Amino acid sequence: MATPPPELRIPDERLHALILATAQDIGALLADADPGVRVPSSVWTLGEAAAHLALANELMADLAAGAERPYGDGTPGGLAAANAESLARFPERTPGVLGAAVVEHARAFVSASVAAAGDAGDAGDAGRVLGTPMGEMDLATLGSYLLTHMLGHGWDLARALRRPHMISRQRAELCLPFLVAAMPRVVDPVAVGGLNARYTIGVRGGQRFSAVFESGALTVTPGTAHRPDCTIITEPVTFLLIALGRCSPWGAIGRGRISAWGRRPLLAPAFPTYFRAP
């Protein structure tokens, strides 16, 4: 099961509050938008991207409530095929309607999460294993997944509409549990090959984790790596955008948003290329 280490876990109340705030920000963006606007660096129109977000939030809410909802196979190609199929079955493209649905399903996710934690008693619901589009994970990690997904597409919508985005340091840091848990699943085996390298990865003023490649296989653990070849520390919003394929590491390095050092510093700009975001 993909479960983040205790160092990366976050209080449910904080996560739930920012899930709702992000959904509301997306709803406000979409309230009076033109569905035909093209989304930059995407094959989707704004109406299609909004429909995908509404469907994804509904899926996450159903999973939190205990439903089994198979969706793709966790690979970029499998998820793309599942996205195309779900959009073909769902004709709604009115941004205002879809924005309201994004908010509605985010509220349903939080309600289901709170109910599940209450049912589990003082121990909480961390032990319940959920099948998700990115593999098995606990409920808290699923919440981080939901927030990450909304922020990535919310960034795209804001760019399409030339409006301010809703990603902040606080929100980006809450995405770390999912990003760390999902990292081994999105390794690009062609890019990695038989790599042997030890990385310490982290965000400025925040958590550190170890990403160790042994003959191309990746293991992620909390804390710094033993004798790392390369240490990479990134400003949190930039970390999220690079992880989601929305930002070039070279540009971020040039703007001083990434610091890297170690015995093999040239490993730093290569690190993002080892992954293929779904």
PDB file of all heavy atoms in Angstrom, residues 11-52:
ATOM      1  N   PRO A  11      -2.590  16.805   9.639  1.00  0.00           N
ATOM      2  CA  PRO A  11      -3.893  16.728  10.304  1.00  0.00           C
ATOM      3  C   PRO A  11      -5.035  16.751   9.299  1.00  0.00           C
ATOM      4  O   PRO A  11      -5.020  17.528   8.345  1.00  0.00           O
ATOM      5  CB  PRO A  11      -3.900  17.976  11.201  1.00  0.00           C
ATOM      6  CG  PRO A  11      -2.467  18.360  11.360  1.00  0.00           C
ATOM      7  CD  PRO A  11      -1.798  17.953  10.075  1.00  0.00           C
ATOM      8  N   ASP A  12      -6.038  15.899   9.517  1.00  0.00           N
ATOM      9  CA  ASP A  12      -7.166  15.836   8.593  1.00  0.00           C
ATOM     10  C   ASP A  12      -7.845  17.190   8.435  1.00  0.00           C
ATOM     11  O   ASP A  12      -8.249  17.574   7.331  1.00  0.00           O
ATOM     12  CB  ASP A  12      -8.187  14.812   9.087  1.00  0.00           C
ATOM     13  CG  ASP A  12      -7.704  13.383   8.927  1.00  0.00           C
ATOM     14  OD1 ASP A  12      -6.715  13.168   8.206  1.00  0.00           O
ATOM     15  OD2 ASP A  12      -8.315  12.486   9.533  1.00  0.00           O
ATOM     16  N   GLU A  13      -8.005  17.926   9.558  1.00  0.00           N
ATOM     17  CA  GLU A  13      -8.735  19.187   9.492  1.00  0.00           C
ATOM     18  C   GLU A  13      -8.053  20.181   8.551  1.00  0.00           C
ATOM     19  O   GLU A  13      -8.724  20.888   7.793  1.00  0.00           O
ATOM     20  CB  GLU A  13      -8.845  19.807  10.894  1.00  0.00           C
ATOM     21  CG  GLU A  13      -9.648  18.976  11.884  1.00  0.00           C
ATOM     22  CD  GLU A  13      -8.841  17.845  12.527  1.00  0.00           C
ATOM     23  OE1 GLU A  13      -7.646  17.701  12.174  1.00  0.00           O
ATOM     24  OE2 GLU A  13      -9.400  17.120  13.356  1.00  0.00           O
ATOM     25  N   ARG A  14      -6.740  20.236   8.604  1.00  0.00           N
ATOM     26  CA  ARG A  14      -6.003  21.154   7.738  1.00  0.00           C
ATOM     27  C   ARG A  14      -6.147  20.751   6.275  1.00  0.00           C
ATOM     28  O   ARG A  14      -6.395  21.590   5.399  1.00  0.00           O
ATOM     29  CB  ARG A  14      -4.532  21.153   8.154  1.00  0.00           C
ATOM     30  CG  ARG A  14      -3.655  22.114   7.383  1.00  0.00           C
ATOM     31  CD  ARG A  14      -2.224  22.014   7.893  1.00  0.00           C
ATOM     32  NE  ARG A  14      -1.300  22.769   7.062  1.00  0.00           N
ATOM     33  CZ  ARG A  14      -0.029  22.464   6.917  1.00  0.00           C
ATOM     34  NH1 ARG A  14       0.472  21.409   7.527  1.00  0.00           N
ATOM     35  NH2 ARG A  14       0.745  23.199   6.154  1.00  0.00           N
ATOM     36  N   LEU A  15      -6.005  19.466   6.004  1.00  0.00           N
ATOM     37  CA  LEU A  15      -6.145  18.971   4.639  1.00  0.00           C
ATOM     38  C   LEU A  15      -7.549  19.228   4.115  1.00  0.00           C
ATOM     39  O   LEU A  15      -7.737  19.721   2.993  1.00  0.00           O
ATOM     40  CB  LEU A  15      -5.816  17.484   4.595  1.00  0.00           C
ATOM     41  CG  LEU A  15      -6.007  16.770   3.258  1.00  0.00           C
ATOM     42  CD1 LEU A  15      -5.111  17.389   2.192  1.00  0.00           C
ATOM     43  CD2 LEU A  15      -5.718  15.275   3.397  1.00  0.00           C
ATOM     44  N   HIS A  16      -8.552  18.905   4.917  1.00  0.00           N
ATOM     45  CA  HIS A  16      -9.935  19.078   4.477  1.00  0.00           C
ATOM     46  C   HIS A  16     -10.249  20.546   4.188  1.00  0.00           C
ATOM     47  O   HIS A  16     -10.932  20.863   3.202  1.00  0.00           O
ATOM     48  CB  HIS A  16     -10.895  18.536   5.537  1.00  0.00           C
ATOM     49  CG  HIS A  16     -10.812  17.059   5.713  1.00  0.00           C
ATOM     50  ND1 HIS A  16     -11.338  16.402   6.800  1.00  0.00           N
ATOM     51  CD2 HIS A  16     -10.245  16.097   4.929  1.00  0.00           C
ATOM     52  CE1 HIS A  16     -11.107  15.103   6.688  1.00  0.00           C
ATOM     53  NE2 HIS A  16     -10.452  14.904   5.569  1.00  0.00           N
ATOM     54  N   ALA A  17      -9.750  21.445   5.034  1.00  0.00           N
ATOM     55  CA  ALA A  17     -10.016  22.869   4.823  1.00  0.00           C
ATOM     56  C   ALA A  17      -9.445  23.343   3.490  1.00  0.00           C
ATOM     57  O   ALA A  17     -10.095  24.114   2.762  1.00  0.00           O
ATOM     58  CB  ALA A  17      -9.431  23.680   5.977  1.00  0.00           C
ATOM     59  N   LEU A  18      -8.251  22.877   3.139  1.00  0.00           N
ATOM     60  CA  LEU A  18      -7.634  23.342   1.905  1.00  0.00           C
ATOM     61  C   LEU A  18      -8.171  22.616   0.674  1.00  0.00           C
ATOM     62  O   LEU A  18      -8.142  23.169  -0.430  1.00  0.00           O
ATOM     63  CB  LEU A  18      -6.122  23.222   2.000  1.00  0.00           C
ATOM     64  CG  LEU A  18      -5.513  24.248   2.972  1.00  0.00           C
ATOM     65  CD1 LEU A  18      -4.007  24.138   3.013  1.00  0.00           C
ATOM     66  CD2 LEU A  18      -5.917  25.672   2.592  1.00  0.00           C
ATOM     67  N   ILE A  19      -8.670  21.402   0.837  1.00  0.00           N
ATOM     68  CA  ILE A  19      -9.397  20.757  -0.262  1.00  0.00           C
ATOM     69  C   ILE A  19     -10.625  21.592  -0.618  1.00  0.00           C
ATOM     70  O   ILE A  19     -10.884  21.897  -1.792  1.00  0.00           O
ATOM     71  CB  ILE A  19      -9.807  19.323   0.126  1.00  0.00           C
ATOM     72  CG1 ILE A  19      -8.592  18.388   0.076  1.00  0.00           C
ATOM     73  CG2 ILE A  19     -10.915  18.798  -0.799  1.00  0.00           C
ATOM     74  CD1 ILE A  19      -8.862  16.994   0.609  1.00  0.00           C
ATOM     75  N   LEU A  20     -11.382  21.993   0.405  1.00  0.00           N
ATOM     76  CA  LEU A  20     -12.590  22.791   0.155  1.00  0.00           C
ATOM     77  C   LEU A  20     -12.243  24.160  -0.407  1.00  0.00           C
ATOM     78  O   LEU A  20     -12.906  24.648  -1.336  1.00  0.00           O
ATOM     79  CB  LEU A  20     -13.391  22.934   1.451  1.00  0.00           C
ATOM     80  CG  LEU A  20     -14.000  21.635   2.003  1.00  0.00           C
ATOM     81  CD1 LEU A  20     -14.681  21.899   3.337  1.00  0.00           C
ATOM     82  CD2 LEU A  20     -14.978  21.032   1.012  1.00  0.00           C
ATOM     83  N   ALA A  21     -11.200  24.797   0.124  1.00  0.00           N
ATOM     84  CA  ALA A  21     -10.813  26.120  -0.370  1.00  0.00           C
ATOM     85  C   ALA A  21     -10.366  26.056  -1.825  1.00  0.00           C
ATOM     86  O   ALA A  21     -10.702  26.937  -2.633  1.00  0.00           O
ATOM     87  CB  ALA A  21      -9.698  26.694   0.511  1.00  0.00           C
ATOM     88  N   THR A  22      -9.621  25.019  -2.177  1.00  0.00           N
ATOM     89  CA  THR A  22      -9.160  24.873  -3.565  1.00  0.00           C
ATOM     90  C   THR A  22     -10.332  24.619  -4.504  1.00  0.00           C
ATOM     91  O   THR A  22     -10.407  25.196  -5.595  1.00  0.00           O
ATOM     92  CB  THR A  22      -8.136  23.726  -3.656  1.00  0.00           C
ATOM     93  OG1 THR A  22      -7.017  24.033  -2.818  1.00  0.00           O
ATOM     94  CG2 THR A  22      -7.661  23.525  -5.085  1.00  0.00           C
ATOM     95  N   ALA A  23     -11.262  23.768  -4.083  1.00  0.00           N
ATOM     96  CA  ALA A  23     -12.448  23.509  -4.904  1.00  0.00           C
ATOM     97  C   ALA A  23     -13.241  24.792  -5.117  1.00  0.00           C
ATOM     98  O   ALA A  23     -13.716  25.078  -6.230  1.00  0.00           O
ATOM     99  CB  ALA A  23     -13.318  22.441  -4.248  1.00  0.00           C
ATOM    100  N   GLN A  24     -13.375  25.592  -4.066  1.00  0.00           N
ATOM    101  CA  GLN A  24     -14.119  26.852  -4.191  1.00  0.00           C
ATOM    102  C   GLN A  24     -13.392  27.835  -5.112  1.00  0.00           C
ATOM    103  O   GLN A  24     -14.032  28.562  -5.883  1.00  0.00           O
ATOM    104  CB  GLN A  24     -14.329  27.440  -2.802  1.00  0.00           C
ATOM    105  CG  GLN A  24     -15.343  26.643  -1.983  1.00  0.00           C
ATOM    106  CD  GLN A  24     -15.256  26.915  -0.487  1.00  0.00           C
ATOM    107  OE1 GLN A  24     -14.405  27.685  -0.028  1.00  0.00           O
ATOM    108  NE2 GLN A  24     -16.139  26.284   0.278  1.00  0.00           N
ATOM    109  N   ASP A  25     -12.063  27.852  -5.047  1.00  0.00           N
ATOM    110  CA  ASP A  25     -11.306  28.715  -5.960  1.00  0.00           C
ATOM    111  C   ASP A  25     -11.530  28.297  -7.415  1.00  0.00           C
ATOM    112  O   ASP A  25     -11.658  29.141  -8.309  1.00  0.00           O
ATOM    113  CB  ASP A  25      -9.816  28.646  -5.631  1.00  0.00           C
ATOM    114  CG  ASP A  25      -9.456  29.371  -4.345  1.00  0.00           C
ATOM    115  OD1 ASP A  25     -10.285  30.177  -3.866  1.00  0.00           O
ATOM    116  OD2 ASP A  25      -8.354  29.135  -3.826  1.00  0.00           O
ATOM    117  N   ILE A  26     -11.562  26.990  -7.644  1.00  0.00           N
ATOM    118  CA  ILE A  26     -11.804  26.485  -9.000  1.00  0.00           C
ATOM    119  C   ILE A  26     -13.230  26.836  -9.442  1.00  0.00           C
ATOM    120  O   ILE A  26     -13.466  27.266 -10.584  1.00  0.00           O
ATOM    121  CB  ILE A  26     -11.551  24.979  -9.068  1.00  0.00           C
ATOM    122  CG1 ILE A  26     -10.041  24.706  -8.934  1.00  0.00           C
ATOM    123  CG2 ILE A  26     -12.086  24.379 -10.371  1.00  0.00           C
ATOM    124  CD1 ILE A  26      -9.690  23.241  -8.757  1.00  0.00           C
ATOM    125  N   GLY A  27     -14.185  26.670  -8.534  1.00  0.00           N
ATOM    126  CA  GLY A  27     -15.558  27.031  -8.855  1.00  0.00           C
ATOM    127  C   GLY A  27     -15.692  28.495  -9.230  1.00  0.00           C
ATOM    128  O   GLY A  27     -16.410  28.844 -10.181  1.00  0.00           O
ATOM    129  N   ALA A  28     -14.981  29.371  -8.518  1.00  0.00           N
ATOM    130  CA  ALA A  28     -15.027  30.799  -8.832  1.00  0.00           C
ATOM    131  C   ALA A  28     -14.388  31.082 -10.189  1.00  0.00           C
ATOM    132  O   ALA A  28     -14.888  31.925 -10.957  1.00  0.00           O
ATOM    133  CB  ALA A  28     -14.315  31.589  -7.730  1.00  0.00           C
ATOM    134  N   LEU A  29     -13.303  30.384 -10.518  1.00  0.00           N
ATOM    135  CA  LEU A  29     -12.668  30.559 -11.825  1.00  0.00           C
ATOM    136  C   LEU A  29     -13.625  30.216 -12.954  1.00  0.00           C
ATOM    137  O   LEU A  29     -13.657  30.870 -13.999  1.00  0.00           O
ATOM    138  CB  LEU A  29     -11.448  29.640 -11.931  1.00  0.00           C
ATOM    139  CG  LEU A  29     -10.062  30.161 -11.605  1.00  0.00           C
ATOM    140  CD1 LEU A  29      -9.045  29.045 -11.805  1.00  0.00           C
ATOM    141  CD2 LEU A  29      -9.690  31.352 -12.475  1.00  0.00           C
ATOM    142  N   LEU A  30     -14.403  29.160 -12.743  1.00  0.00           N
ATOM    143  CA  LEU A  30     -15.239  28.625 -13.810  1.00  0.00           C
ATOM    144  C   LEU A  30     -16.604  29.303 -13.913  1.00  0.00           C
ATOM    145  O   LEU A  30     -17.335  29.075 -14.888  1.00  0.00           O
ATOM    146  CB  LEU A  30     -15.452  27.122 -13.594  1.00  0.00           C
ATOM    147  CG  LEU A  30     -14.209  26.239 -13.743  1.00  0.00           C
ATOM    148  CD1 LEU A  30     -14.527  24.800 -13.336  1.00  0.00           C
ATOM    149  CD2 LEU A  30     -13.698  26.278 -15.178  1.00  0.00           C
ATOM    150  N   ALA A  31     -16.946  30.129 -12.961  1.00  0.00           N
ATOM    151  CA  ALA A  31     -18.316  30.630 -12.845  1.00  0.00           C
ATOM    152  C   ALA A  31     -18.850  31.250 -14.129  1.00  0.00           C
ATOM    153  O   ALA A  31     -19.992  30.996 -14.521  1.00  0.00           O
ATOM    154  CB  ALA A  31     -18.405  31.630 -11.694  1.00  0.00           C
ATOM    155  N   ASP A  32     -18.055  32.056 -14.800  1.00  0.00           N
ATOM    156  CA  ASP A  32     -18.544  32.731 -16.008  1.00  0.00           C
ATOM    157  C   ASP A  32     -17.580  32.535 -17.174  1.00  0.00           C
ATOM    158  O   ASP A  32     -17.473  33.400 -18.047  1.00  0.00           O
ATOM    159  CB  ASP A  32     -18.753  34.221 -15.742  1.00  0.00           C
ATOM    160  CG  ASP A  32     -17.485  34.903 -15.222  1.00  0.00           C
ATOM    161  OD1 ASP A  32     -16.468  34.199 -15.019  1.00  0.00           O
ATOM    162  OD2 ASP A  32     -17.512  36.130 -15.012  1.00  0.00           O
ATOM    163  N   ALA A  33     -16.903  31.404 -17.203  1.00  0.00           N
ATOM    164  CA  ALA A  33     -15.867  31.166 -18.212  1.00  0.00           C
ATOM    165  C   ALA A  33     -16.461  30.663 -19.526  1.00  0.00           C
ATOM    166  O   ALA A  33     -17.571  30.146 -19.580  1.00  0.00           O
ATOM    167  CB  ALA A  33     -14.849  30.155 -17.679  1.00  0.00           C
ATOM    168  N   ASP A  34     -15.684  30.817 -20.582  1.00  0.00           N
ATOM    169  CA  ASP A  34     -16.044  30.339 -21.916  1.00  0.00           C
ATOM    170  C   ASP A  34     -15.573  28.890 -22.058  1.00  0.00           C
ATOM    171  O   ASP A  34     -14.373  28.620 -21.955  1.00  0.00           O
ATOM    172  CB  ASP A  34     -15.359  31.219 -22.960  1.00  0.00           C
ATOM    173  CG  ASP A  34     -15.626  30.779 -24.396  1.00  0.00           C
ATOM    174  OD1 ASP A  34     -16.226  29.708 -24.606  1.00  0.00           O
ATOM    175  OD2 ASP A  34     -15.203  31.508 -25.307  1.00  0.00           O
ATOM    176  N   PRO A  35     -16.465  27.944 -22.296  1.00  0.00           N
ATOM    177  CA  PRO A  35     -16.056  26.541 -22.371  1.00  0.00           C
ATOM    178  C   PRO A  35     -15.141  26.224 -23.542  1.00  0.00           C
ATOM    179  O   PRO A  35     -14.440  25.210 -23.535  1.00  0.00           O
ATOM    180  CB  PRO A  35     -17.379  25.783 -22.504  1.00  0.00           C
ATOM    181  CG  PRO A  35     -18.326  26.776 -23.087  1.00  0.00           C
ATOM    182  CD  PRO A  35     -17.916  28.097 -22.502  1.00  0.00           C
ATOM    183  N   GLY A  36     -15.121  27.081 -24.564  1.00  0.00           N
ATOM    184  CA  GLY A  36     -14.326  26.801 -25.756  1.00  0.00           C
ATOM    185  C   GLY A  36     -12.890  27.268 -25.682  1.00  0.00           C
ATOM    186  O   GLY A  36     -12.106  26.996 -26.612  1.00  0.00           O
ATOM    187  N   VAL A  37     -12.509  27.954 -24.615  1.00  0.00           N
ATOM    188  CA  VAL A  37     -11.122  28.421 -24.476  1.00  0.00           C
ATOM    189  C   VAL A  37     -10.186  27.219 -24.450  1.00  0.00           C
ATOM    190  O   VAL A  37     -10.457  26.211 -23.792  1.00  0.00           O
ATOM    191  CB  VAL A  37     -10.968  29.250 -23.180  1.00  0.00           C
ATOM    192  CG1 VAL A  37      -9.501  29.536 -22.884  1.00  0.00           C
ATOM    193  CG2 VAL A  37     -11.759  30.546 -23.279  1.00  0.00           C
ATOM    194  N   ARG A  38      -9.081  27.321 -25.184  1.00  0.00           N
ATOM    195  CA  ARG A  38      -8.109  26.226 -25.196  1.00  0.00           C
ATOM    196  C   ARG A  38      -7.254  26.282 -23.939  1.00  0.00           C
ATOM    197  O   ARG A  38      -6.839  27.352 -23.495  1.00  0.00           O
ATOM    198  CB  ARG A  38      -7.201  26.313 -26.425  1.00  0.00           C
ATOM    199  CG  ARG A  38      -7.906  26.308 -27.752  1.00  0.00           C
ATOM    200  CD  ARG A  38      -8.782  25.115 -27.989  1.00  0.00           C
ATOM    201  NE  ARG A  38      -8.106  23.835 -27.804  1.00  0.00           N
ATOM    202  CZ  ARG A  38      -8.660  22.656 -28.066  1.00  0.00           C
ATOM    203  NH1 ARG A  38      -9.903  22.598 -28.514  1.00  0.00           N
ATOM    204  NH2 ARG A  38      -7.988  21.541 -27.880  1.00  0.00           N
ATOM    205  N   VAL A  39      -6.976  25.117 -23.379  1.00  0.00           N
ATOM    206  CA  VAL A  39      -6.093  25.020 -22.218  1.00  0.00           C
ATOM    207  C   VAL A  39      -4.660  24.890 -22.724  1.00  0.00           C
ATOM    208  O   VAL A  39      -4.368  24.002 -23.532  1.00  0.00           O
ATOM    209  CB  VAL A  39      -6.473  23.807 -21.345  1.00  0.00           C
ATOM    210  CG1 VAL A  39      -5.487  23.650 -20.187  1.00  0.00           C
ATOM    211  CG2 VAL A  39      -7.896  23.961 -20.820  1.00  0.00           C
ATOM    212  N   PRO A  40      -3.747  25.754 -22.287  1.00  0.00           N
ATOM    213  CA  PRO A  40      -2.369  25.687 -22.775  1.00  0.00           C
ATOM    214  C   PRO A  40      -1.728  24.326 -22.524  1.00  0.00           C
ATOM    215  O   PRO A  40      -1.964  23.695 -21.488  1.00  0.00           O
ATOM    216  CB  PRO A  40      -1.653  26.777 -21.966  1.00  0.00           C
ATOM    217  CG  PRO A  40      -2.730  27.723 -21.569  1.00  0.00           C
ATOM    218  CD  PRO A  40      -3.955  26.882 -21.365  1.00  0.00           C
ATOM    219  N   SER A  41      -0.954  23.869 -23.511  1.00  0.00           N
ATOM    220  CA  SER A  41      -0.204  22.601 -23.408  1.00  0.00           C
ATOM    221  C   SER A  41      -1.124  21.422 -23.142  1.00  0.00           C
ATOM    222  O   SER A  41      -0.751  20.475 -22.442  1.00  0.00           O
ATOM    223  CB  SER A  41       0.871  22.701 -22.322  1.00  0.00           C
ATOM    224  OG  SER A  41       1.735  23.789 -22.556  1.00  0.00           O
ATOM    225  N   SER A  42      -2.342  21.466 -23.671  1.00  0.00           N
ATOM    226  CA  SER A  42      -3.319  20.398 -23.462  1.00  0.00           C
ATOM    227  C   SER A  42      -4.152  20.215 -24.719  1.00  0.00           C
ATOM    228  O   SER A  42      -4.296  21.139 -25.526  1.00  0.00           O
ATOM    229  CB  SER A  42      -4.232  20.753 -22.280  1.00  0.00           C
ATOM    230  OG  SER A  42      -5.294  19.830 -22.150  1.00  0.00           O
ATOM    231  N   VAL A  43      -4.712  19.014 -24.870  1.00  0.00           N
ATOM    232  CA  VAL A  43      -5.620  18.760 -25.984  1.00  0.00           C
ATOM    233  C   VAL A  43      -7.041  19.166 -25.629  1.00  0.00           C
ATOM    234  O   VAL A  43      -7.932  19.130 -26.484  1.00  0.00           O
ATOM    235  CB  VAL A  43      -5.588  17.273 -26.395  1.00  0.00           C
ATOM    236  CG1 VAL A  43      -4.202  16.870 -26.854  1.00  0.00           C
ATOM    237  CG2 VAL A  43      -6.049  16.372 -25.242  1.00  0.00           C
ATOM    238  N   TRP A  44      -7.287  19.552 -24.373  1.00  0.00           N
ATOM    239  CA  TRP A  44      -8.627  19.849 -23.905  1.00  0.00           C
ATOM    240  C   TRP A  44      -8.989  21.320 -24.043  1.00  0.00           C
ATOM    241  O   TRP A  44      -8.135  22.202 -23.953  1.00  0.00           O
ATOM    242  CB  TRP A  44      -8.772  19.460 -22.435  1.00  0.00           C
ATOM    243  CG  TRP A  44      -8.842  17.991 -22.172  1.00  0.00           C
ATOM    244  CD1 TRP A  44      -9.152  17.021 -23.067  1.00  0.00           C
ATOM    245  CD2 TRP A  44      -8.595  17.334 -20.929  1.00  0.00           C
ATOM    246  NE1 TRP A  44      -9.127  15.789 -22.461  1.00  0.00           N
ATOM    247  CE2 TRP A  44      -8.787  15.953 -21.155  1.00  0.00           C
ATOM    248  CE3 TRP A  44      -8.229  17.773 -19.659  1.00  0.00           C
ATOM    249  CZ2 TRP A  44      -8.634  15.007 -20.144  1.00  0.00           C
ATOM    250  CZ3 TRP A  44      -8.082  16.842 -18.646  1.00  0.00           C
ATOM    251  CH2 TRP A  44      -8.283  15.471 -18.884  1.00  0.00           C
ATOM    252  N   THR A  45     -10.282  21.547 -24.229  1.00  0.00           N
ATOM    253  CA  THR A  45     -10.836  22.887 -24.029  1.00  0.00           C
ATOM    254  C   THR A  45     -11.071  23.076 -22.532  1.00  0.00           C
ATOM    255  O   THR A  45     -10.997  22.121 -21.734  1.00  0.00           O
ATOM    256  CB  THR A  45     -12.173  23.039 -24.748  1.00  0.00           C
ATOM    257  OG1 THR A  45     -13.118  22.110 -24.174  1.00  0.00           O
ATOM    258  CG2 THR A  45     -12.041  22.779 -26.244  1.00  0.00           C
ATOM    259  N   LEU A  46     -11.391  24.304 -22.160  1.00  0.00           N
ATOM    260  CA  LEU A  46     -11.678  24.579 -20.758  1.00  0.00           C
ATOM    261  C   LEU A  46     -12.886  23.767 -20.282  1.00  0.00           C
ATOM    262  O   LEU A  46     -12.897  23.252 -19.163  1.00  0.00           O
ATOM    263  CB  LEU A  46     -11.918  26.068 -20.561  1.00  0.00           C
ATOM    264  CG  LEU A  46     -12.075  26.524 -19.110  1.00  0.00           C
ATOM    265  CD1 LEU A  46     -11.325  27.816 -18.877  1.00  0.00           C
ATOM    266  CD2 LEU A  46     -13.553  26.712 -18.762  1.00  0.00           C
ATOM    267  N   GLY A  47     -13.902  23.635 -21.137  1.00  0.00           N
ATOM    268  CA  GLY A  47     -15.078  22.848 -20.762  1.00  0.00           C
ATOM    269  C   GLY A  47     -14.734  21.394 -20.516  1.00  0.00           C
ATOM    270  O   GLY A  47     -15.256  20.768 -19.582  1.00  0.00           O
ATOM    271  N   GLU A  48     -13.852  20.838 -21.330  1.00  0.00           N
ATOM    272  CA  GLU A  48     -13.445  19.446 -21.142  1.00  0.00           C
ATOM    273  C   GLU A  48     -12.604  19.270 -19.880  1.00  0.00           C
ATOM    274  O   GLU A  48     -12.782  18.304 -19.133  1.00  0.00           O
ATOM    275  CB  GLU A  48     -12.672  18.973 -22.370  1.00  0.00           C
ATOM    276  CG  GLU A  48     -13.557  18.811 -23.602  1.00  0.00           C
ATOM    277  CD  GLU A  48     -12.761  18.689 -24.890  1.00  0.00           C
ATOM    278  OE1 GLU A  48     -11.597  19.164 -24.950  1.00  0.00           O
ATOM    279  OE2 GLU A  48     -13.308  18.126 -25.869  1.00  0.00           O
ATOM    280  N   ALA A  49     -11.689  20.209 -19.634  1.00  0.00           N
ATOM    281  CA  ALA A  49     -10.869  20.134 -18.421  1.00  0.00           C
ATOM    282  C   ALA A  49     -11.741  20.252 -17.174  1.00  0.00           C
ATOM    283  O   ALA A  49     -11.522  19.542 -16.175  1.00  0.00           O
ATOM    284  CB  ALA A  49      -9.816  21.235 -18.436  1.00  0.00           C
ATOM    285  N   ALA A  50     -12.742  21.128 -17.217  1.00  0.00           N
ATOM    286  CA  ALA A  50     -13.644  21.281 -16.074  1.00  0.00           C
ATOM    287  C   ALA A  50     -14.473  20.019 -15.859  1.00  0.00           C
ATOM    288  O   ALA A  50     -14.705  19.595 -14.720  1.00  0.00           O
ATOM    289  CB  ALA A  50     -14.556  22.491 -16.294  1.00  0.00           C
ATOM    290  N   ALA A  51     -14.912  19.403 -16.953  1.00  0.00           N
ATOM    291  CA  ALA A  51     -15.666  18.156 -16.837  1.00  0.00           C
ATOM    292  C   ALA A  51     -14.808  17.059 -16.219  1.00  0.00           C
ATOM    293  O   ALA A  51     -15.265  16.284 -15.365  1.00  0.00           O
ATOM    294  CB  ALA A  51     -16.177  17.732 -18.213  1.00  0.00           C
ATOM    295  N   HIS A  52     -13.552  16.989 -16.639  1.00  0.00           N
ATOM    296  CA  HIS A  52     -12.633  15.997 -16.062  1.00  0.00           C
ATOM    297  C   HIS A  52     -12.473  16.219 -14.557  1.00  0.00           C
ATOM    298  O   HIS A  52     -12.492  15.258 -13.777  1.00  0.00           O
ATOM    299  CB  HIS A  52     -11.280  16.078 -16.752  1.00  0.00           C
ATOM    300  CG  HIS A  52     -10.204  15.310 -16.050  1.00  0.00           C
ATOM    301  ND1 HIS A  52     -10.187  13.928 -16.008  1.00  0.00           N
ATOM    302  CD2 HIS A  52      -9.114  15.722 -15.334  1.00  0.00           C
ATOM    303  CE1 HIS A  52      -9.140  13.521 -15.298  1.00  0.00           C
ATOM    304  NE2 HIS A  52      -8.484  14.591 -14.885  1.00  0.00           N
TER     305      HIS A  52
END
